[in-house]
Amino acid sequence: MLILRRTDVADVLSGRETEIIHLVADTYRLHDAGRTSLPHSTFLRFPEEHHRSDRIIGLPAYRGGERPAAGMKWIASFPGNVAAGTERASAAIVLNSLDHGRPVAFVEGAVVSAKRTAASAALAAAELTAERPPASVLLIGCGVINLEILRFLAAALPGLCEAALYDTDPERAEAFADSCAEAAPEVKAHLVTDLAAALGEHRLVSLATTAATPHMDLTACGPDTTVLHVSLRDLTAGAILGAVNVVDDTDHVCRERTSLDLAQQATGDREFVAAEIGALLRGTATLRRVPERPVVYSPFGLGVLDIALAEYVREEAERRGLGVLVEDFLPA
């Protein structure tokens, strides 16, 4: 069993934004072509009141193709950690051999999860704004995920030069601005306090908050806005129904009381989903923008992306001699 610590994973993935985006794109194409196996995620929740917003999610997945991989991500989301000064999410990924089924690697998963999420968002931003790439982005939610999204957007959108930052906690936003300068030095980051005005000024918006229920619509957005709805529960059902919606997988994202699940409950169907990102990348679907209607990208966060990226990390770590190898984890 190869155990890869957070430092090992971060070392392997540092500076590999473009390569990770390509890996995510290839995995989406395989998924659209039916060459993945992706059961629904399992949500473990708790009955106690003080744990109402906490959850641990299991995401099993298989990626086929030339470099097949299988395993499972086990990721905890405890929003209360943020106020305590620690990260909201923590995760571990188990990779299994496709020769004999035994687990072969145990990988710290929070770095993998953050980077595959950011790569998915940046990939979609580039794809959905290809005809008119934006020069600025509004980041709503000043946490780990939007920091990674900014890093990956800088790689995917060479013309990006400005990032407006909004958070309900001004102190967190100020600290986040300092982190942005390190993550994407070519992008000028600044704080905004008037969210409605900021929504009208920026054609690219990234929502990565800890919101558990919808709290905003998109009426303040200007024409030709693209929204990366990464946290999945910020937008009202009405905002979803008023948008042109792109998802990573319709079945996965329309559940667990996401904004799209609420829209599905309101309408009784999923006709509001215009396309899936894998189909757009493969050219088996096209997207038609509608005047005055924003395009919203809502990725559920497919476990197959975690497995694909974790396998990439494992291969590279073995090549470099990183990690801790436990010879007797399993019986001989």
Side-chain angles (χ1 to χ4, degrees):
M1 170 71 79
L2 179 63
I3 299 176
L4 296 175
R5 302 154 295 192
R6 186 184 186 103
T7 52
D8 301 319
V9 177
D11 186 26
V12 168
L13 296 181
S14 178
R16 300 289 184 93
E17 287 79 24
T18 299
E19 197 168 343
I20 296 169
I21 290 171
H22 289 324
L23 176 64
V24 166
D26 288 343
T27 303
Y28 277 143
R29 293 187 186 98
L30 286 169
H31 182 60
D32 185 67
R35 302 183 70 186
T36 65
S37 180
L38 202 63
H40 277 310
S41 307
T42 296
F43 281 67
L44 176 64
R45 292 192 170 90
F46 311 95
E48 292 82 7
E49 184 63 34
H50 65 282
H51 274 306
R52 287 294 185 207
S53 61
D54 301 333
R55 63 186 187 270
I56 309 178
I57 312 171
L59 297 89
Y62 164 76
R63 182 199 65 183
E66 296 180 359
R67 297 165 64 187
M72 178 170 175
K73 180 175 77 169
W74 185 239
I75 182 166
S77 174
F78 279 51
N81 289 354
V82 176
T86 58
E87 292 186 2
R88 173 187 61 84
S90 58
I93 299 171
V94 176
L95 295 174
N96 293 77
S97 167
L98 289 168
D99 294 325
H100 46 68
R102 291 187 168 195
V104 293
F106 188 73
V107 185
E108 194 281 337
V111 173
V112 168
S113 187
K115 289 190 179 292
R116 65 84 156 145
T117 299
S120 170
L123 171 68
E127 178 72 15
L128 299 174
T129 67
E131 294 184 1
R132 190 174 167 230
S136 67
V137 61
L138 169 62
L139 303 177
I140 301 175
C142 294
V144 172
I145 298 302
N146 255 342
L147 183 63
E148 285 298 326
I149 286 175
L150 178 62
R151 191 193 314 274
F152 278 78
L153 285 175
L157 301 171
L160 192 73
C161 59
E162 178 190 355
L165 315 177
Y166 178 84
D167 196 280
T168 54
D169 183 342
E171 291 186 5
R172 184 163 60 232
E174 290 180 8
F176 185 80
D178 294 334
S179 299
C180 289
E182 183 177 339
E186 66 277 27
V187 179
K188 182 180 179 181
H190 62 92
L191 276 59
V192 295
T193 56
D194 188 335
L195 180 57
L199 285 168
E201 293 168 0
H202 300 277
R203 293 192 300 109
L204 180 62
V205 178
S206 177
L207 279 161
T209 77
T210 59
T213 56
H215 59 94
M216 65 179 289
D217 59 31
L218 299 175
T219 55
C221 289
D224 196 28
T225 299
T226 299
V227 179
L228 308 173
H229 185 212
V230 176
S231 36
L232 291 179
R233 293 170 176 83
D234 297 277
L235 299 179
T236 64
I240 294 295
L241 296 175
V244 177
N245 292 283
V246 178
V247 302
D248 53 1
D249 185 291
T250 307
D251 286 339
H252 283 261
V253 79
C254 290
R255 58 192 296 261
E256 293 294 336
R257 297 194 63 78
T258 64
S259 297
L260 287 87
D261 186 16
L262 298 180
Q264 173 185 238
Q265 293 177 35
T267 62
D269 60 47
R270 300 173 178 178
E271 295 300 318
F272 53 85
V273 176
E276 294 185 350
I277 188 69
L280 294 179
L281 293 171
R282 291 182 67 218
T284 57
T286 57
L287 188 71
R288 183 175 64 88
R289 297 191 83 111
V290 179
E292 305 305 321
R293 292 181 66 186
V295 171
V296 174
Y297 177 58
S298 299
F300 187 74
L302 303 181
V304 69
L305 301 182
D306 299 286
I307 298 309
L309 188 52
E311 176 62 14
Y312 171 89
V313 170
R314 185 194 67 79
E315 292 174 355
E316 183 65 16
E318 283 192 347
R319 189 183 69 80
R320 297 190 195 180
L322 299 175
V324 177
L325 185 62
V326 181
E327 298 282 3
D328 57 352
F329 183 81
L330 294 170

